Amino acid sequence: MMVTLIVVSVVVFLMARVTGDPRSVLISDLTTQEQYDAMTEKFGLNKSWSEQYWIFVSDGVRGDFGVSTRDGLPVWNSIKDPLKQTLQIGVAAFVFALLIGVPLGVLSATSRGKASDQILRFFAMIGQATPPFWLGIMLIFFFAVKLGWVPPSGRGDWKTYILPTVTLGSFQVATNLRFVRSSMLTVLGSEYIKLARAKGVSRRMIIWKHAFRNALIPLITYWGVNLGTLIAGSVVAEVVFVWPGMGRLAYIATSSGDYPLLQAVVMVFSVGFLISSLAVDLIYASVDPRIRRG
Amino acid sequence: MFRRNFSMLFASAIIFTVIGAGVFAPWIAPHDPRIGNLEDRMIPPVWVEAELAPTVVVERMDLTISDAQITLRQAKKIDASYEIGDQLMAPIKKGGTRTYLLGTDIQGRDILSRLIHGARVSLIVMVLTVLIGGVVGTVLGLIAGMSGGFADEFIMRAVDVVLALPLILVAMVFVASLGSSFELIILILALTLWVRYARQVRAEVLQLREMDYVASARVSGASKARILWRHLAPGVTNTVVVIATIQVGVVLLVEASLSFLGAGIPPPNPAWGSMIAEGRANISSSWWISTVPGVAIVLTVISTNILGDWVRDKLDPQLRQLN
């Protein structure tokens, strides 16, 4: 994981170097040679790439991502708040997807073949095929414009959280549902469930105590894979709902060529992804005794 | 059984329609997808009826009460005999016309034509990215699984890095500096798709190469390349096909997201994602501009997913966890 982190930092660093020059957005016809040199000095562009990389990494681990080329303020200042906002809707969407998707998956598996199963699978199919940004626009149209129940965009009281959470979570609800369903069906078909049934254990006990807990284990590893889609979704959802988070910040940073800011945003997302996959591994190990001992 | 057949029928019908529309776009699209007629802006789909209201014919619109007025020029278009001061029922909201079956957008471009040409754009992106990603990923997966050692370590590390990088942001960075282009979007998508193949193919090769038939090939003096090509590659074909069919829907969704953010297909080329973005600002007055391409995306992705599930169940039910 450390190696991955280092390679990611090199890639992010190189990406920012080869795609352009931060000075280009600041100079005009009136810029003197002295001012240009001062800028070069300030951003450290007179140093070699290896030196620049070292500064980027050594400051980065201390939480110092340099100063923004746009407003000259430390990058960390402009990241702190958006990071909080993104985490808020990210966590909300995750919990939403868990609370809705997992029980529905169990219901779908236990009523296999019945009408409720077919309806749930139909909706899961639609959920997995709907682009989040389009769903967001449609939700704004119906619930904000037509019905006026919630504000169309921006961040404020609890009402403003509903649409972004649903938008971001809908895809995950569908994947959780499908995954839990197929995982439950696998477990319910296994020998020890047959044994429990033969012993006369109640249906409820079999489903929740014997099957459900084992069916959840593969879901945990699946979260790791799903984090990527959650991150991608947060960028578009934030743009749709004008949510002051990391996704919108990245959008602004790219359009203004603010490389220090952009580097920091991409780095924070990548580190976040690596930390979450590590967390997923740890949770997995603590839930599955076979791995814990091994 | 009936339900399965029905959903397969539905999925194939949609997929054939999309492929047909994409292939024959220039011949079947009724209008130019890139150039619109500004007089026909924001016309709703054909089934939406015009909203009529009593209006008075005037020389010039009075901005404060313009809802109840119609200019002489417009009235003459309805019937040449109207004069100033006449009263008539005139449309305050346009209705749909046969000329534009699915309506028009802000620039007066026919949405149906843009949808048809958009299908072509999506098809090209899907086919190319899945093909490039599939070939590169399979080859790298074969090499990693077969040779082990440094090459294996290197390739698998690259997989980890690609998975850790936020694709959408990376695409935005490149588009912001290099400008958006077809080649760039296909490159970026293919760059992120190959990892799924590489991982799965490597895992399967690790199992396959311990098989007796591979061992006997080795003993009989077959070269490494021959074992790889003749004995291992055919063993992973099913896996590769299954991943490819599953990825088609994913590609469509990611490409739409990128186009929506302005980091995808460069305008004025019609792409479904950017069509949705263009209608966003006028969603309250002209809902169809965003809704129509969105429905197209949902239907297409559902169909490819149904087809993907079917292919997976046919070829290798063991791969269920891949969905």
Side-chain angles (χ1 to χ4, degrees):
Chain A
M1 193 186 133
M2 267 329 277
V3 183
T4 311
L5 190 59
I6 291 167
V7 179
V8 166
S9 75
V10 174
V11 171
V12 171
F13 173 80
L14 287 180
M15 202 165 72
R17 293 309 107 154
V18 297
T19 48
D21 184 340
R23 285 169 297 197
S24 62
V25 286
L26 295 172
I27 52 172
S28 67
D29 295 343
L30 299 171
T31 313
T32 61
Q33 187 61 42
E34 285 82 51
Q35 284 173 320
Y36 188 80
D37 291 342
M39 253 184 261
T40 312
E41 185 77 31
K42 189 173 152 210
F43 298 141
L45 292 170
N46 49 349
K47 301 194 178 73
S48 72
W49 278 21
S50 52
E51 263 180 285
Q52 288 183 36
Y53 173 71
W54 175 244
I55 293 169
F56 166 60
V57 169
S58 55
D59 286 353
V61 292
R62 277 183 265 123
D64 177 4
F65 288 104
V67 291
S68 162
T69 55
R70 196 163 37 106
D71 50 16
L73 294 170
V75 164
W76 183 242
N77 280 9
S78 27
I79 282 189
K80 245 182 349 197
D81 211 39
L83 184 59
K84 219 168 72 189
Q85 310 302 347
T86 296
L87 282 177
Q88 277 179 358
I89 51 165
V91 171
F94 183 77
V95 173
F96 169 75
L98 216 59
L99 290 182
I100 307 283
V102 173
L104 289 183
V106 174
L107 179 65
S108 183
T110 51
S111 64
R112 185 185 190 180
K114 292 190 194 144
S116 55
D117 177 33
Q118 308 219 332
I119 292 168
L120 284 173
R121 287 174 68 196
F122 178 71
F123 276 107
M125 204 168 67
I126 294 181
Q128 273 194 319
T130 308
F133 59 93
W134 183 68
L135 178 70
I137 295 172
M138 292 296 119
L139 289 176
I140 289 176
F141 178 59
F142 283 110
F143 294 104
V145 176
K146 286 276 166 191
L147 298 169
W149 290 353
V150 285
S153 63
R155 197 184 75 91
D157 61 353
W158 61 273
K159 276 185 178 171
T160 57
Y161 283 77
I162 300 174
L163 294 190
T165 304
V166 174
T167 302
L168 198 53
S170 67
F171 193 85
Q172 311 295 329
V173 169
T175 42
N176 279 348
L177 196 161
R178 288 191 62 162
F179 199 91
V180 169
R181 180 181 184 276
S182 82
S183 167
M184 274 295 273
L185 286 179
T186 316
V187 175
L188 284 175
S190 64
E191 291 293 320
Y192 74 89
I193 295 291
K194 275 182 208 152
L195 177 73
R197 204 171 280 151
K199 265 192 341 191
V201 180
S202 73
R203 187 178 146 79
R204 206 174 173 185
M205 275 289 273
I206 290 180
I207 290 172
W208 292 108
K209 188 129 192 293
H210 295 259
F212 180 65
R213 289 167 68 176
N214 283 316
L216 270 191
I217 293 173
L219 183 71
I220 297 171
T221 32
Y222 199 60
W223 291 342
V225 183
N226 258 347
L227 278 168
T229 36
L230 202 63
I231 290 172
S234 80
V235 177
V236 283
E238 281 172 13
V239 172
V240 170
F241 289 101
V242 200
W243 193 263
M246 296 288 280
R248 247 181 68 80
L249 191 67
Y251 195 65
I252 297 165
T254 31
S255 41
S256 58
D258 193 339
Y259 292 99
L261 186 56
L262 204 55
Q263 276 178 350
V265 172
V266 179
M267 256 339 261
V268 166
F269 269 119
S270 309
V271 170
F273 180 83
L274 289 172
I275 291 175
S276 335
S277 10
L278 185 70
V280 165
D281 284 349
L282 290 178
I283 295 173
Y284 191 71
S286 72
V287 182
D288 193 337
R290 283 168 302 187
I291 294 181
R292 198 166 43 206
R293 293 207 194 97
Chain B
M1 214 42 220
F2 168 75
R3 240 186 60 88
R4 178 113 216 191
N5 284 341
F6 174 76
S7 60
M8 274 305 291
L9 198 69
F10 168 83
S12 342
I14 298 275
I15 287 171
F16 277 120
T17 312
V18 173
I19 293 177
V23 171
F24 300 109
W27 298 280
I28 56 173
H31 298 273
D32 188 311
R34 289 176 191 82
I35 301 162
N37 181 354
L38 282 179
E39 275 195 13
D40 295 338
R41 303 168 71 221
M42 292 150 106
I43 293 177
V46 63
W47 62 85
V48 177
E49 280 178 29
E51 234 173 83
L52 295 176
T55 49
V56 181
V57 180
V58 289
E59 176 68 48
R60 244 203 200 159
M61 289 259 215
D62 183 343
L63 284 177
T64 48
I65 47 165
S66 61
D67 258 11
Q69 294 178 333
I70 183 172
T71 59
L72 189 60
R73 208 169 73 91
Q74 282 173 324
K76 291 268 187 204
K77 267 195 204 165
I78 300 169
D79 192 328
S81 65
Y82 284 122
E83 293 301 333
I84 289 174
D86 283 352
Q87 295 197 358
L88 73 150
M89 295 295 283
I92 51 165
K93 263 191 187 167
K94 288 181 196 168
T97 70
R98 292 253 187 84
T99 327
Y100 306 106
L101 288 177
L102 291 177
T104 59
D105 66 6
I106 318 167
Q107 298 181 37
R109 297 176 296 197
D110 179 36
I111 290 181
L112 178 63
S113 304
R114 285 179 69 71
L115 205 63
I116 292 172
H117 279 269
R120 182 178 213 154
V121 171
S122 295
L123 271 183
I124 296 174
V125 172
M126 281 193 286
V127 170
L128 283 180
T129 51
V130 172
L131 210 65
I132 299 174
V135 170
V136 172
T138 308
V139 169
L140 289 179
L142 283 171
I143 294 173
M146 179 75 187
S147 58
F150 177 74
D152 183 25
E153 182 70 17
F154 185 81
I155 292 170
M156 286 303 111
R157 194 59 64 198
V159 169
D160 288 344
V161 171
V162 170
L163 284 176
L165 284 172
L167 153 75
I168 292 237
L169 293 181
V170 172
M172 279 161 66
V173 172
F174 277 100
V175 169
S177 52
L178 305 174
S180 58
S181 68
F182 255 113
E183 296 82 2
L184 188 64
I185 177 86
I186 285 167
L187 196 75
I188 289 174
L189 282 172
L191 209 66
T192 53
L193 288 184
W194 68 271
V195 295
R196 289 295 283 279
Y197 301 90
R199 267 207 167 160
Q200 196 67 30
V201 167
R202 173 180 174 271
E204 299 215 341
V205 168
L206 286 182
Q207 284 184 354
L208 284 178
R209 71 173 191 186
E210 303 304 325
M211 299 283 222
D212 287 341
Y213 77 92
V214 178
S216 45
R218 201 175 290 133
V219 173
S220 68
S223 69
K224 251 192 171 177
R226 189 180 161 83
I227 293 177
L228 199 67
W229 185 243
R230 298 292 302 226
H231 302 283
L232 295 178
V236 299
T237 332
N238 279 357
T239 311
V240 171
V241 171
V242 170
I243 299 179
T245 41
I246 291 172
Q247 272 189 342
V248 170
V250 178
V251 173
L252 187 59
L253 286 180
V254 174
E255 181 260 304
S257 298
L258 287 175
S259 294
F260 173 77
L261 290 171
I265 306 300
N269 292 310
W272 292 351
S274 42
M275 287 170 72
I276 295 176
E278 286 156 12
R280 193 182 142 211
N282 297 297
I283 186 74
S284 49
S285 61
S286 320
W287 53 267
W288 56 91
I289 302 175
S290 284
T291 311
V292 170
V295 172
I297 293 178
V298 173
L299 288 179
T300 313
V301 177
I302 286 182
S303 306
T304 58
N305 285 352
I306 291 176
L307 204 72
D309 284 355
W310 179 79
V311 170
R312 185 195 55 200
D313 290 349
K314 280 272 153 196
L315 291 181
D316 196 350
Q318 294 265 296
L319 288 170
R320 275 213 158 262
Q321 76 257 21
L322 271 179
N323 88 92

